[in-house]
């Protein structure tokens, strides 16, 4: 099976982010057919169409668009801010979706993992994000859904995932995602 490149987009910029901790474990538990790479989104200026229209496209936007375009699939890991996705994640979606007709998202298979210290597991963020992914034509894995709640209880003091049920679930999730990518990814966009 040919290796597929997965862009991991994390909706938190926080140093001690639980989403980053979950992302690290997902990458470690991914089958060898998936090559995971976290994409920086904190340096993307807030979207303003004038920048593109007037030839002042920020270098960070161009780098992001060109880099992510080379990936076969995209995995979103998001916290919930006020029952929706953090602005930094929505901004990354918007930047990648333009200029009109040149979206980097179109047709790339994806999946969503939502993470929260609370018991509702960021369900609202998970499904708000899915609403945008429908429009962006990202075929998004439906099952298994991934709602990681009470996340602060899953790690020990040094940040090691100690909850074996969660570890097993994350491994199953990544195995399902590998199959989803294999079925839905167009021929590698890198051409290699
Ligand atoms: C502006 C803001 C809004 C938040 N709103 C929610 C919310 O709606 N639901 C929720 O479960 N947690 C909410 N939280 C708490 C976050 O889940 C918590 O800060 C979490 O640790 C953020 O993810 P991270 O650890 O990856 O940075 C909010 C946090 C902030 C800063």
């Amino acid at each position: 099976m040919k290796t597929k490149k997965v862009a991991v987009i994390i909706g938190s910029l926080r140093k001690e982010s639980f989403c980053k901790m979950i992302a690290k474990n997902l990458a470690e538990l991914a089958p060898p057919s998936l090559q995971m790479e976290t994409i920086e989104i904190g340096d993307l200026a807030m979207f303003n169409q004038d920048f593109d229209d007037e030839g002042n496209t920020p270098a960070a936007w161009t780098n992001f668009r060109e880099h992510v375009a080379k990936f076969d699939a995209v995995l979103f890991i998001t916290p919930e801010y006020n029952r929706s996705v953090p602005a930094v994640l929505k901004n990354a979606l918007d930047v990648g979706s333009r200029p009109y007709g040149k979206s980097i998202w179109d047709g790339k298979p994806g999946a969503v993992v939502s993470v929260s210290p609370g018991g509702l597991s960021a369900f609202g963020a998970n499904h708000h994000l899915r609403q945008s992914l429908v429009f962006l034509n990202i075929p998004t894995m439906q099952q298994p859904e991934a709602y990681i709640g009470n996340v602060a209880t899953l790690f020990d003091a040094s940040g090691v995932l100690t909850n074996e049920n969660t570890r097993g679930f994350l491994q199953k999730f990544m195995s399902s995602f590998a199959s989803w990518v294999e079925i839905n990814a167009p021929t590698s966009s890198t051409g290699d």
Side-chain angles (χ1 to χ4, degrees):
M1 190 188 294
K2 188 178 174 307
T3 301
K4 295 287 193 294
K5 290 174 63 180
V6 179
V8 179
I9 301 200
I10 302 173
S12 173
L13 305 180
R14 203 167 70 85
K15 285 194 292 291
E16 304 292 326
S17 160
F18 289 116
C19 287
K20 289 180 181 172
M21 292 162 72
I22 292 291
K24 179 171 176 289
N25 280 274
L26 287 167
E28 288 168 2
L29 294 167
S33 63
L34 298 182
Q35 189 187 325
M36 318 275 286
E37 181 181 317
T38 299
I39 306 296
E40 176 62 45
I41 60 172
D43 60 344
L44 300 174
M46 289 299 281
F47 184 77
N48 177 346
Q49 190 178 324
D50 290 345
F51 293 154
D52 283 330
D53 290 350
E54 296 169 3
N56 293 321
T57 303
W61 289 13
T62 304
N63 293 340
F64 175 77
R65 289 165 173 165
E66 290 180 355
H67 189 53
V68 177
K70 295 183 185 137
F71 284 75
D72 300 295
V74 58
L75 175 62
F76 296 97
I77 302 167
T78 187
E80 182 171 87
Y81 280 6
N82 300 311
R83 296 284 181 262
S84 187
V85 293
V88 71
L89 175 52
K90 181 61 166 53
N91 188 51
L93 283 179
D94 295 340
V95 168
S97 71
R98 297 288 159 143
Y100 185 80
K102 294 188 176 168
S103 171
I104 59 170
W105 309 117
D106 191 34
K108 278 192 203 324
V112 176
V113 178
S114 61
V115 175
S116 175
L120 296 183
S121 315
F123 175 89
N126 190 308
H127 284 263
H128 269 190
L129 179 55
R130 285 172 185 273
Q131 179 171 319
S132 293
L133 303 190
V134 170
F135 180 69
L136 293 169
N137 194 31
I138 294 180
T140 304
M141 187 167 73
Q142 300 191 17
Q143 294 292 339
E145 298 163 280
Y147 307 106
I148 312 299
N150 302 308
V151 67
T153 67
L154 305 177
F155 296 91
D156 68 14
S158 54
V160 173
L161 179 64
T162 50
N163 187 300
E164 288 307 315
N165 284 342
T166 301
R167 179 184 301 283
F169 172 75
L170 296 181
Q171 187 154 35
K172 180 169 163 242
F173 180 86
M174 289 311 294
S175 166
S176 299
F177 186 49
S179 302
W180 180 256
V181 171
E182 192 57 33
I183 293 164
N184 289 286
T187 314
S188 175
S189 48
T190 58
D192 54 27

